[in-house]
Amino acid sequence: MKVCVIGAGAIGSLFAGHLSTVADVFVLTRRREHAQALNDQGLTVSGKHDFTARVTAASDPRDLPDFDVGIIATKAAGLENAAGSLAGRFVGATIMTVQNGLGAEEVVQRHGGWPLISAVTFMSGTKHSDTHVEYILDTATWLGPYGETPYERVQELAQLLVASGLKAEALPDLHPAQWAKLIFNATVNGVAALTGLPHDAHFAAEGGESDLGHLVHALIDEGKRVAAAAGIELHDDPWEMNVLATKRGSAHYPSMLEDVEARRPTEVELINGALVREAERHRVDAPLQTALYRLVAAREASYS
Amino acid sequence: MKVCVIGAGAIGSLFAGHLSTVADVFVLTRRREHAQALNDQGLTVSGKHDFTARVTAASDPRDLPDFDVGIIATKAAGLENAAGSLAGRFVGATIMTVQNGLGAEEVVQRHGGWPLISAVTFMSGTKHSDTHVEYILDTATWLGPYGETPYERVQELAQLLVASGLKAEALPDLHPAQWAKLIFNATVNGVAALTGLPHDAHFAAEGGESDLGHLVHALIDEGKRVAAAAGIELHDDPWEMNVLATKRGSAHYPSMLEDVEARRPTEVELINGALVREAERHRVDAPLQTALYRLVAAREASYS
């Protein structure tokens, strides 16, 4: 089985490193030096697992062989370019998207007729260098068919991920999981970006009047009302996901918080913007999620 | 006329410097070096006005003579200590408070039976050193009687401030002005602290869906509903204050934004907390102001 991972940030590197133990793995990077470094030094995974993988990397898609499965693991902001770079090629491949927010599949579809697999991942890692990723949260990736993609193909890929040492689960319909993650993500990333708090116990605290947990709870409840109006029965309760996550030993540093601290563009449009637009589409009031969206957008505007 | 200014931050220094041109001015500082520097070098005002004032400063209230008017110009967080340092003394004095938020008068009252004058100020300055303050916004200070204080005494002090070169106005009832400033302040300071934006054109922008002005407007509307429920007819419309302020040449840097950038305690309890508590007291829903309050409180919690 030939797998190509497009985008080697933390998530892409975790997929590529693990899959290399059970498949031939190719990595498409944006920068040539990044590909060069991976070819020279391999890809080291530390943390929950510990090994160095051999991968074949390229920064030009013309240097890639045909592959069976492509995993686009860029951030949502890099998705358009990543999908564009595959256009007109790799006709036998099935492509998996794993971006935050909603609508990644539609973006890829505009660039080619590949069968698509939707995914959301809850694993996390920290990229220490171009050739070293630390595997921090070994939580699952959920996969589901998109459009006409046969469910068996989804199950095969989930099995491959599990065989590689990652946690993965195939679901016949991913919407309930995507939406649960969307609501969780919009809330936790937005609040972390504004407050400077990592995802810690403050997010679940509902004792005192000024406690942050009240707000987090109300934001999640709004999100759940949007999901209900959209006809989605959530796979997990985002509030329980939140409480559970804050009980882990070390607090997770949400990517939107990392982004605002580095004064980088965030995924606010694709996460919070997507949820707010769904609320409008289904005519559900979501004043708090809308406020969060505007505050993070304004935080980005403050960079300039 | 003998005036004592208690607290020589930016606002206290602006009062002390200007009043020294029409009265004998004493300054009570927290730090001994600060008093020493003022006694040695005088107090320089630059910006809108330009002069160096002679003041008599002390860090121990026992070194102060009896005075006619005391102006407590500390931040709200320093009010309790400042009022405590006057307890049992200066029985002939009238005391003016000018803290952000609500309830400063009650704090002072617990320390002595002085007649009180309430004030809110819209002037602003930047303290460049212990002996140099820049006068930036030459907007007015509004004064009103508290409790049984005769209105004539308020008018006299307003006249003295005007004679000293500052803008000031006496009002028979200060509540409408205090509340207008409270709503303005809670909104603008809170949003600035979270977004990193100075008080600029973003705060009045209501074009695009993600524009911040929508949120600012909704926050102010909530505040106005609280004021209405409390029976207060606002002296000015905080939304118009906001629009007007963002049209000035240079954007003002709200103190709460300075505080969070320096990772200092903010006035969130005294400003946003006060507004939220008034909403509860009058049973008015204020979900957005409550969210803002909790987010800024959480931002403070992120320091540690």
Side-chain angles (χ1 to χ4, degrees):
Chain A
M1 172 91 89
K2 288 197 170 100
V3 179
C4 180
V5 176
I6 298 104
I11 295 297
S13 299
L14 289 172
F15 279 128
H18 285 86
L19 285 168
S20 74
T21 61
V22 292
D24 289 333
V25 170
F26 302 85
V27 178
L28 181 63
T29 65
R30 203 166 35 79
R31 289 174 296 114
R32 207 156 84 173
E33 316 81 75
H34 190 173
Q36 193 66 53
L38 287 170
N39 287 328
D40 290 350
Q41 299 163 43
L43 173 55
T44 299
V45 175
S46 67
K48 294 278 178 189
H49 294 151
D50 226 317
F51 61 95
T52 296
R54 280 222 56 78
V55 297
T56 305
S59 60
D60 186 332
R62 288 169 299 189
D63 296 337
L64 294 173
D66 277 337
F67 50 79
D68 306 298
V69 172
I71 297 179
I72 305 187
T74 61
K75 283 208 172 189
L79 179 64
E80 187 77 48
N81 272 344
S85 74
L86 307 181
R89 299 163 191 271
F90 316 110
V91 289
T94 299
I95 304 283
M96 176 178 117
T97 57
V98 67
Q99 281 63 37
N100 280 325
L102 295 176
E105 301 89 345
E106 285 86 342
V107 174
V108 177
Q109 227 172 16
R110 289 202 298 269
H111 294 278
W114 311 285
L116 299 180
I117 292 176
S118 304
V120 294
T121 187
F122 294 92
M123 69 180 179
S124 82
T126 299
K127 218 179 112 177
H128 293 291
S129 76
D130 276 353
T131 58
H132 175 200
V133 64
E134 184 183 349
Y135 187 20
I136 293 183
L137 290 185
D138 61 348
T139 28
T141 301
W142 293 333
L143 296 77
Y146 182 79
E148 303 299 304
T149 307
Y151 186 48
E152 293 67 35
R153 206 167 293 181
V154 179
Q155 291 176 303
E156 277 167 34
L157 182 51
Q159 280 158 18
L160 190 72
L161 289 169
V162 169
S164 82
L166 293 171
K167 292 191 177 142
E169 195 181 342
L171 301 170
D173 179 7
L174 196 67
H175 287 104
Q178 268 180 321
W179 273 78
K181 177 154 187 195
L182 178 69
I183 295 166
F184 173 88
N185 243 341
T187 303
V188 171
N189 271 284
V191 169
L194 294 173
T195 61
L197 286 171
H199 190 205
D200 66 9
H202 291 96
F203 285 69
E206 295 185 283
E209 175 55 28
S210 73
D211 278 358
L212 192 60
H214 296 295
L215 173 61
V216 171
H217 215 145
L219 283 161
I220 287 175
D221 283 347
E222 269 189 17
K224 285 162 76 171
R225 284 196 291 275
V226 179
I232 308 286
E233 208 166 311
L234 297 174
H235 186 276
D236 290 75
D237 181 334
W239 173 253
E240 287 170 22
M241 290 164 69
N242 168 62
V243 171
L244 207 68
T246 59
K247 284 186 179 156
R248 279 189 306 246
S250 65
H252 176 58
Y253 225 77
S255 64
M256 205 175 278
L257 172 55
E258 293 182 334
D259 288 340
V260 301
E261 293 197 337
R263 299 173 81 84
R264 281 192 302 256
T266 70
E267 295 191 312
V268 66
E269 274 304 329
L270 298 139
I271 300 176
N272 303 74
L275 184 57
V276 167
R277 285 186 291 273
E278 290 291 326
E280 277 163 15
R281 194 150 76 93
H282 298 287
R283 301 176 191 284
V284 177
D285 264 354
L288 294 173
Q289 288 286 357
T290 305
L292 199 65
Y293 166 54
R294 288 174 176 150
L295 286 169
V296 178
R299 179 74 179 261
E300 273 194 31
S302 81
Y303 301 164
S304 55
Chain B
M1 170 91 88
K2 288 198 173 96
V3 179
C4 180
V5 176
I6 297 105
I11 295 296
S13 298
L14 288 171
F15 279 127
H18 285 85
L19 285 168
S20 73
T21 62
V22 292
D24 289 331
V25 170
F26 301 85
V27 178
L28 181 63
T29 64
R30 201 166 37 79
R31 290 175 294 112
R32 208 157 85 174
E33 316 82 76
H34 191 174
Q36 192 67 53
L38 286 170
N39 286 328
D40 290 349
Q41 300 162 44
L43 174 56
T44 299
V45 175
S46 67
K48 294 278 178 189
H49 294 154
D50 226 318
F51 61 95
T52 295
R54 282 223 53 79
V55 297
T56 305
S59 59
D60 186 331
R62 288 170 297 188
D63 295 338
L64 293 173
D66 276 338
F67 49 80
D68 306 298
V69 173
I71 297 179
I72 304 187
T74 60
K75 283 208 172 188
L79 179 63
E80 187 77 48
N81 272 344
S85 74
L86 306 181
R89 298 163 191 271
F90 315 112
V91 290
T94 299
I95 305 282
M96 175 178 117
T97 57
V98 67
Q99 281 64 35
N100 279 324
L102 295 176
E105 301 88 346
E106 284 86 343
V107 174
V108 177
Q109 226 170 17
R110 287 203 297 270
H111 294 279
W114 311 284
L116 299 181
I117 292 177
S118 303
V120 295
T121 187
F122 294 92
M123 70 178 178
S124 82
T126 299
K127 215 178 116 178
H128 293 292
S129 76
D130 276 351
T131 59
H132 175 200
V133 64
E134 185 183 349
Y135 187 21
I136 294 182
L137 290 185
D138 62 347
T139 28
T141 300
W142 293 333
L143 296 76
Y146 184 79
E148 303 298 307
T149 307
Y151 186 47
E152 293 67 35
R153 205 168 294 182
V154 179
Q155 289 176 305
E156 277 167 33
L157 181 52
Q159 281 159 16
L160 189 72
L161 289 168
V162 169
S164 83
L166 293 170
K167 292 190 177 141
E169 197 181 341
L171 300 170
D173 178 7
L174 196 68
H175 288 104
Q178 267 181 322
W179 272 78
K181 177 154 188 198
L182 177 70
I183 296 166
F184 173 88
N185 243 342
T187 303
V188 171
N189 271 285
V191 169
L194 294 173
T195 62
L197 287 171
H199 190 205
D200 65 9
H202 290 95
F203 285 69
E206 296 186 282
E209 173 57 27
S210 73
D211 278 358
L212 191 61
H214 296 295
L215 173 61
V216 171
H217 214 144
L219 283 161
I220 286 175
D221 283 347
E222 270 189 16
K224 286 162 74 170
R225 283 196 292 277
V226 179
I232 308 286
E233 209 168 311
L234 297 175
H235 186 275
D236 290 76
D237 181 334
W239 174 253
E240 286 169 22
M241 291 164 69
N242 168 60
V243 171
L244 206 70
T246 59
K247 283 185 180 157
R248 281 190 305 247
S250 67
H252 176 57
Y253 225 78
S255 64
M256 205 176 276
L257 172 54
E258 292 182 334
D259 287 340
V260 300
E261 293 198 337
R263 299 172 83 83
R264 281 192 301 255
T266 70
E267 295 191 313
V268 65
E269 274 304 329
L270 298 139
I271 300 176
N272 302 75
L275 184 57
V276 167
R277 286 186 291 272
E278 289 291 326
E280 277 162 15
R281 195 150 75 94
H282 298 286
R283 300 177 191 285
V284 177
D285 264 354
L288 294 174
Q289 288 286 358
T290 305
L292 200 65
Y293 165 54
R294 287 173 176 152
L295 286 168
V296 179
R299 180 74 179 262
E300 273 194 31
S302 81
Y303 301 164
S304 53

